[in-house]
Amino acid sequence: MHVAVLTHESFPDRAKTAVGLLRYGDHEVRAVVDREYAGQRVSDHLPDVQDAPIVASMDEVPEVDALVVGISPIGGEFDESWRADVRAALERGCDVLSGLHDFLEDDEEFARLAADHGGELRDLRKPPEDLTVAEGTAGEVDATVVTTVGTDCSTGKMTASFELRDAARERGLSAEVVPTGQTGVAITGWGIVVDRVIADYAAGAVERLVQTPEDQDLLIVEGQGALAHPAYSGVTTSILHGSAPDALVMCHEAGLEAIHGYESFAIPPLPEYVDIYERLAAPISDASVVAGTLNTSKLDDDAADEAVAEYADALGAPATDPVRHGVPDEVLDAIL
Amino acid sequence: MHVAVLTHESFPDRAKTAVGLLRYGDHEVRAVVDREYAGQRVSDHLPDVQDAPIVASMDEVPEVDALVVGISPIGGEFDESWRADVRAALERGCDVLSGLHDFLEDDEEFARLAADHGGELRDLRKPPEDLTVAEGTAGEVDATVVTTVGTDCSTGKMTASFELRDAARERGLSAEVVPTGQTGVAITGWGIVVDRVIADYAAGAVERLVQTPEDQDLLIVEGQGALAHPAYSGVTTSILHGSAPDALVMCHEAGLEAIHGYESFAIPPLPEYVDIYERLAAPISDASVVAGTLNTSKLDDDAADEAVAEYADALGAPATDPVRHGVPDEVLDAIL
């Protein structure tokens, strides 16, 4: 599939979805639609992702199958200045994918254009309507299933999932990320935003996702939230149990001691935290924390190396900063 | 508030909501609407709950504020043979409360009658529209908060919650059950059906509920599901963390060894299970399992006594079958 991705005035620093698509997406990005940097190329800003021209509007985009809204502003509202580009995409029969809280399919003009020209409006935050309660069968899939879990939100679970996938593929294995958040869903083009699913069906949604890919050696399930997070721990549990993993990878941010936004809630000491995850997983699927990833972006090189070594010690498992150092063999071996 | 409760042809054995209302509701039930036993009284069938006449239709019900649909058939569909009674209630300006999956407010006739006559249609399975993410503040309430947790679904968490409430009240304390399931919500007239809430908001819904009652010595939060349940553990976690309890009461069914409906999933040995709950609770609120309840309904008296004693041993805490033996002081002392 070929896509264009819209980022108007947000590329790259406030365009996590777009950057994710460029870095990890299996689809070819043929253009970035951003009036701020029109005329430049992606490689002028990000050297280590797939390259593409940056254009001012959808009218200058070559033939694509879909336009992806590559940004998620706080509040998730649709910006009217994007209307012309979405309209143009739909008039060309393209699908339009969006992770906004404002659903495109609720917009009369967009719904009409999609119907008239054959494109599909895909609101990625909207779960399927036929979800059901989990049956406890995810453990039966043939693939090795690894679930990334975190000490908090935003500790690199999604990044770790894609980096592990790519490391496995480099070794000649077939691997897919099982996406559970809107960025992952936008990057891969499939998945379900689990935190938007009715609590009764959340584990069932994850179970369905794990059972979807065929003939894969490795499935890496993107975790959400954390077990010590006062608001999101239920989502974490639903993913942990719904995915029935064979192994866990613990993702952390160097120096993080309290839950972002909930600073009265301390992050448990790592060995204790590992214990909580493993004991909760055990009745459903016997999964241990076999490796860790650490976000050391705020540290200099020496401090980063030390932090990763300390982290591996605390976990009792091999660890890496996948963005800084890639995925070493010992980490990949641990999950396979 | 005075209510009538509809159970047509299901009273009492397939009318859990109605029986709960009669046994635990703080409202006066003025009539049971059931064409099968019309002319009889509740006390002819259930000796230990509030008494009321059984009548054939709403037309024979004295003045009430509301009609409660007291049954939840599998599938939760509205039975057309009940239409006349619901219509009659609405024409009298009564509210109508229902835990069915078919929402009464989606029925054109009912919506029109409610609007015309001033009654409210309350679909108990429908969560409020303004729920938000938890803030982690339930731990700040003055009341002692106890959450009932289970080894499985249907292990008596709701029953235990109401029995503990009544025991506390008998001792002169003010106590309320915080309802999280449709039966509890129907019995008390408030609460939220947490398993129908979007996963992101589930803990927030429970937090809101715990912060609602004023000037109570004791709040007993009704748990849902169980941490070893492959489908519902996320709901359990959201309630455990959203309620930030001071203590936990573990509810079990004598002889139960595997999860109902998921028989390949064994119930963990009790000490291990207690550990899972306590370790998961700890980062949010330091809560131990301080007491237990055991459903011994399938055992004879001697076997029941033995089972309760064994259960208390396994938990390391006082235990009782509250339906069979009530709530002894040592159990009430343990939670206060």
Side-chain angles (χ1 to χ4, degrees):
Chain A
M1 200 167 89
H2 305 126
V3 304
V5 54
L6 181 152
T7 63
H8 285 310
E9 287 149 48
S10 299
F11 188 81
D13 294 331
R14 284 169 297 107
K16 178 180 170 189
T17 301
V19 173
L21 244 155
L22 291 161
R23 178 167 281 124
Y24 298 123
D26 285 337
H27 308 300
E28 184 194 341
V29 177
R30 285 202 156 163
V32 171
V33 180
D34 194 313
R35 64 181 78 93
E36 184 178 6
Y37 292 128
Q40 299 182 22
R41 297 193 63 81
V42 167
S43 52
D44 296 326
H45 296 268
L46 299 169
D48 58 337
V49 305
Q50 59 170 306
D51 195 17
I54 304 176
V55 300
S57 75
M58 190 66 204
D59 295 330
E60 292 149 74
V61 170
E63 192 172 334
V64 290
D65 301 293
L67 172 68
V68 180
V69 174
I71 37 187
S72 295
I74 307 246
E77 286 176 6
F78 183 81
D79 185 322
E80 277 304 313
S81 78
W82 310 336
R83 180 169 290 275
D85 291 309
V86 175
R87 182 189 296 134
L90 291 170
E91 283 170 346
R92 286 165 58 168
C94 296
D95 295 342
V96 181
L97 283 63
S98 156
L100 299 172
H101 291 78
D102 285 349
F103 290 162
L104 299 185
E105 59 181 66
D106 293 342
D107 184 285
E108 270 192 52
E109 179 186 20
F110 295 155
R112 184 174 37 82
L113 286 171
D116 288 350
H117 296 276
E120 193 188 341
L121 288 170
R122 290 185 55 196
D123 288 298
L124 305 177
R125 294 185 68 74
K126 194 172 184 184
E129 299 201 341
D130 64 341
L131 290 173
T132 58
V133 161
E135 297 180 348
T137 51
E140 295 164 18
V141 300
D142 290 329
T144 297
V145 177
V146 174
T147 298
T148 52
V149 295
T151 54
D152 192 0
C153 297
S154 308
T155 52
K157 294 185 284 297
M158 188 197 79
T159 298
S161 300
F162 283 107
E163 293 290 343
L164 290 168
R165 176 200 71 176
D166 291 352
R169 286 176 173 179
E170 263 162 57
R171 206 186 262 197
L173 297 160
S174 54
E176 294 288 351
V177 168
V178 177
T180 61
Q182 86 194 32
T183 310
V185 172
I187 289 171
T188 61
W190 72 288
I192 295 170
V193 179
V194 175
D195 62 27
R196 300 298 303 172
V197 174
I198 285 169
D200 241 9
Y201 299 152
V206 178
E207 178 176 277
R208 173 187 292 193
L209 293 181
V210 169
Q211 294 170 328
T212 297
E214 291 176 354
D215 302 320
Q216 297 296 315
D217 297 314
L218 177 66
L219 296 175
I220 306 117
V221 180
E222 185 197 356
Q224 296 291 334
L227 287 185
H229 196 296
Y232 301 129
S233 52
V235 183
T236 310
T237 300
S238 294
I239 293 175
L240 182 67
H241 282 171
S243 63
D246 300 298
L248 305 175
V249 173
M250 178 80 102
C251 308
H252 185 42
E253 182 189 310
L256 189 67
E257 293 183 343
I259 301 287
H260 289 109
Y262 295 78
E263 274 71 26
S264 62
F265 292 91
I267 285 175
L270 279 161
E272 201 177 302
Y273 216 163
V274 165
D275 218 31
I276 297 173
Y277 271 106
E278 292 181 350
R279 283 171 188 266
L280 183 61
I284 306 305
S285 74
D286 214 3
S288 307
V289 172
V290 301
T293 65
L294 189 69
N295 177 349
T296 64
S297 56
K298 297 177 181 161
L299 306 179
D300 66 39
D301 285 347
D302 287 338
D305 287 347
E306 200 178 313
V308 171
E310 263 178 43
Y311 182 59
D313 266 348
L315 287 188
T320 183
D321 181 335
V323 173
R324 197 173 201 131
H325 298 137
V327 178
D329 283 338
E330 62 160 355
V331 167
L332 188 56
D333 290 338
I335 72 174
L336 294 171
Chain B
M1 201 168 87
H2 304 126
V3 303
V5 55
L6 181 153
T7 64
H8 286 311
E9 287 149 47
S10 300
F11 187 81
D13 296 329
R14 285 170 296 107
K16 179 179 167 190
T17 301
V19 173
L21 244 156
L22 291 161
R23 177 169 281 126
Y24 299 122
D26 286 335
H27 309 300
E28 185 194 340
V29 177
R30 285 202 156 164
V32 171
V33 180
D34 194 314
R35 62 181 78 94
E36 184 177 8
Y37 292 129
Q40 300 182 23
R41 295 192 66 82
V42 167
S43 52
D44 295 326
H45 297 267
L46 299 169
D48 58 338
V49 305
Q50 59 169 307
D51 195 16
I54 304 176
V55 301
S57 76
M58 190 66 203
D59 295 329
E60 292 151 71
V61 170
E63 191 173 334
V64 289
D65 301 293
L67 172 68
V68 180
V69 176
I71 35 187
S72 295
I74 307 244
E77 286 175 7
F78 183 80
D79 185 325
E80 277 304 313
S81 78
W82 310 337
R83 180 169 291 275
D85 291 309
V86 174
R87 183 190 294 134
L90 290 170
E91 284 170 346
R92 286 165 58 166
C94 297
D95 295 341
V96 182
L97 283 64
S98 156
L100 299 172
H101 291 77
D102 285 349
F103 290 163
L104 299 185
E105 59 180 66
D106 293 342
D107 184 286
E108 270 192 52
E109 180 187 18
F110 295 156
R112 184 176 37 83
L113 287 171
D116 288 350
H117 297 277
E120 193 188 341
L121 289 170
R122 290 186 53 197
D123 288 299
L124 305 177
R125 293 184 67 72
K126 193 172 183 180
E129 305 208 333
D130 64 342
L131 290 173
T132 58
V133 162
E135 296 179 351
T137 51
E140 294 165 18
V141 301
D142 289 330
T144 297
V145 177
V146 174
T147 298
T148 52
V149 295
T151 53
D152 190 0
C153 296
S154 308
T155 52
K157 295 185 285 294
M158 187 196 81
T159 298
S161 300
F162 282 108
E163 294 289 343
L164 291 168
R165 177 200 69 175
D166 291 351
R169 286 176 172 180
E170 264 162 54
R171 206 186 263 197
L173 297 161
S174 54
E176 294 288 352
V177 168
V178 177
T180 60
Q182 87 195 29
T183 309
V185 172
I187 289 170
T188 61
W190 72 289
I192 294 171
V193 180
V194 176
D195 62 27
R196 300 298 303 171
V197 173
I198 284 169
D200 241 9
Y201 298 152
V206 178
E207 179 176 277
R208 173 186 291 192
L209 293 181
V210 168
Q211 294 171 328
T212 297
E214 291 177 353
D215 302 321
Q216 296 297 314
D217 296 315
L218 177 66
L219 296 176
I220 306 116
V221 180
E222 186 196 358
Q224 297 291 335
L227 287 186
H229 196 297
Y232 301 129
S233 52
V235 183
T236 310
T237 301
S238 293
I239 292 175
L240 182 67
H241 283 170
S243 63
D246 300 298
L248 305 175
V249 172
M250 179 81 103
C251 308
H252 184 43
E253 181 189 313
L256 190 68
E257 293 183 343
I259 299 287
H260 289 109
Y262 295 79
E263 274 71 24
S264 62
F265 292 91
I267 285 174
L270 278 161
E272 199 177 304
Y273 215 162
V274 166
D275 218 32
I276 297 173
Y277 271 106
E278 292 181 348
R279 282 171 188 267
L280 183 60
I284 307 305
S285 74
D286 214 4
S288 306
V289 172
V290 301
T293 66
L294 189 68
N295 177 349
T296 64
S297 57
K298 295 176 182 163
L299 307 178
D300 66 38
D301 285 346
D302 289 336
D305 288 346
E306 200 179 313
V308 172
E310 265 179 40
Y311 182 59
D313 267 347
L315 287 188
T320 183
D321 181 336
V323 173
R324 196 173 202 133
H325 298 138
V327 177
D329 284 337
E330 61 160 355
V331 167
L332 188 57
D333 290 337
I335 71 174
L336 293 172

